[in-house]
């Protein structure tokens, strides 16, 4: 009897989620959502598990949220997977995180292809281990012709490094006479790793921390920010829908009236 009620409960929950999705889609959804996925380590610690268990659980959440953003007709989902500062973590943890793209994309890639999702990456890819680069490049190559949601991994990414890189490229092009000394914001944006993408409309951070942590500092200038105490491995579809609903209630003036 218990199992029957459990099955009915799951069906009801699924129906409620589907209804919620339809309601959210009636209003304007963000074109680009960016997420700082924080709290994997704390999630594991609360359960007396090794930190890597939190990263593994967090990977499953990426899969769920990717599916949901695609259902919502969001154009781009950028997830902060590994920062340039994360190399400071214990070697065993870093080594495990570097294996996750291979595991994640190895199992999820056929589904991404079937769902018309296009995988992209921003960050200093040359500094990643060979097996990590291989997995990412394969996913990018095999989904390059897809026209649906762009799943953009920020991997070995740091916004300050990105901006400095853009400044140095700009200086070089000015010296070579390729561009004028005075450049516009739009021109400078073309030197960033996100040059082919619009800025995030909605930026979400989990785990209760209220900071950007060197993530898309230029691009998030006018993003709507949404913070939650929920740890990333506990982040559910309902939480994303809550963030989008909050976004839909806000008026975006971009400095105007």
């Amino acid at each position: 009897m218990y199992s029957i009620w459990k099955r009915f409960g799951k069906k009801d929950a699924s129906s409620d989620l589907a209804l919620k999705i339809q309601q959210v889609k009636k209003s304007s959804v963000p074109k680009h959502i960016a997420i700082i996925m924080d709290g994997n380590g704390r999630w594991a610690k609360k359960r007396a598990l090794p930190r890597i268990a939190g990263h593994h659980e967090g990977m499953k959440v990426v899969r769920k949220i990717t599916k949901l953003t695609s259902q919502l007709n969001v154009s781009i989902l950028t997830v902060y997977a590994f920062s340039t500062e994360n190399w400071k973590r214990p070697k065993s943890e870093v080594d495990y995180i570097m294996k996750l793209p291979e595991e994640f994309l190895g199992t999820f890639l056929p589904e991404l292809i079937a769902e018309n999702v296009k995988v992209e990456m921003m960050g200093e890819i040359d500094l990643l281990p060979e097996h990590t680069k291989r997995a990412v490049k394969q996913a990018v190559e095999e989904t390059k012709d897809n026209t649906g949601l762009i799943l953009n991994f920020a991997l070995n990414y740091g916004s300050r490094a990105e901006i400095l890189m853009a400044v140095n490229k700009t200086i070089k092009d000015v010296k070579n006479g390729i561009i004028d000394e005075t450049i516009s914001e739009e021109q400078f944006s073309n030197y960033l790793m996100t040059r082919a993408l619009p800025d995030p409309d909605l930026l979400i951070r989990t785990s209760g921390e209220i900071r950007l942590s060197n993530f898309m500092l230029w691009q998030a200038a006018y993003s709507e920010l949404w913070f939650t105490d929920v740890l990333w491995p506990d982040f559910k579809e309902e939480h994303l829908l809550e963030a989008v609903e909050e976004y839909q209630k806000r008026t975006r003036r971009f400095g105007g009236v």
Side-chain angles (χ1 to χ4, degrees), residues 7-24:
R7 285 200 298 272
F8 275 120
K10 285 184 177 179
K11 190 176 288 186
D12 289 343
S14 178
S15 299
D16 289 345
L17 180 62
L19 181 61
K20 192 78 168 176
I21 290 170
Q22 292 307 314
Q23 289 174 337
V24 168

Side-chain angles (χ1 to χ4, degrees), residues 10 46-47 152 168 216:
K10 285 184 177 179
K46 282 173 66 176
R47 291 159 177 78
N152 181 38
N168 288 326
M216 302 185 88

Side-chain angles (χ1 to χ4, degrees), residues 16-38:
D16 289 345
L17 180 62
L19 181 61
K20 192 78 168 176
I21 290 170
Q22 292 307 314
Q23 289 174 337
V24 168
K25 286 173 71 173
K26 289 178 182 177
S27 299
S28 177
V29 298
K31 184 175 183 180
H32 184 175
I33 296 177
I35 305 179
I36 300 174
M37 308 179 294
D38 195 21

Side-chain angles (χ1 to χ4, degrees), residues 4 6 14 26 30 32 51 54 73 85 101 127 136 138 153 176 178-179 185 195 197 208 210 212 238 240 252 254 256:
I4 293 174
K6 192 174 182 181
S14 178
K26 289 178 182 177
H32 184 175
R51 288 176 60 85
N73 297 325
E85 289 76 33
L127 300 179
V136 172
Q138 180 184 351
F153 288 97
N176 291 333
I178 297 173
I179 57 173
E185 287 186 14
R195 53 190 163 273
L197 303 176
I210 306 177
L212 294 182
E238 290 81 1
L240 181 74
R252 305 187 74 200
F254 300 96

Side-chain angles (χ1 to χ4, degrees), residues 6 38 60 71 90 98 100 117 130 141 146-148 163 165 168 195 202 208 217 220-221 227 230 232 235 243-244 248:
K6 192 174 182 181
D38 195 21
K60 297 178 186 176
Q71 282 182 276
M98 287 298 135
L100 282 177
V117 174
E130 284 302 320
E141 176 62 27
N146 287 356
T147 57
I163 291 170
M165 207 177 299
N168 288 326
R195 53 190 163 273
L202 173 63
L217 301 178
F227 299 98
V230 176
W232 178 248
F235 194 82
V244 173
Q248 291 172 335

Side-chain angles (χ1 to χ4, degrees), residues 184-233:
S184 65
E185 287 186 14
E186 185 178 358
Q187 284 176 305
F188 184 74
S189 292
N190 287 329
Y191 286 89
L192 296 172
M193 294 175 184
T194 53
R195 53 190 163 273
L197 303 176
D199 292 340
D201 301 296
L202 173 63
L203 192 152
I204 296 168
R205 179 164 189 158
T206 60
S207 87
E209 304 294 350
I210 306 177
R211 56 176 178 268
L212 294 182
S213 295
N214 199 20
F215 181 58
M216 302 185 88
L217 301 178
W218 175 278
Q219 298 90 337
Y222 281 101
S223 299
E224 295 297 325
L225 308 180
W226 191 83
F227 299 98
T228 177
D229 290 336
V230 176
L231 302 175
W232 178 248

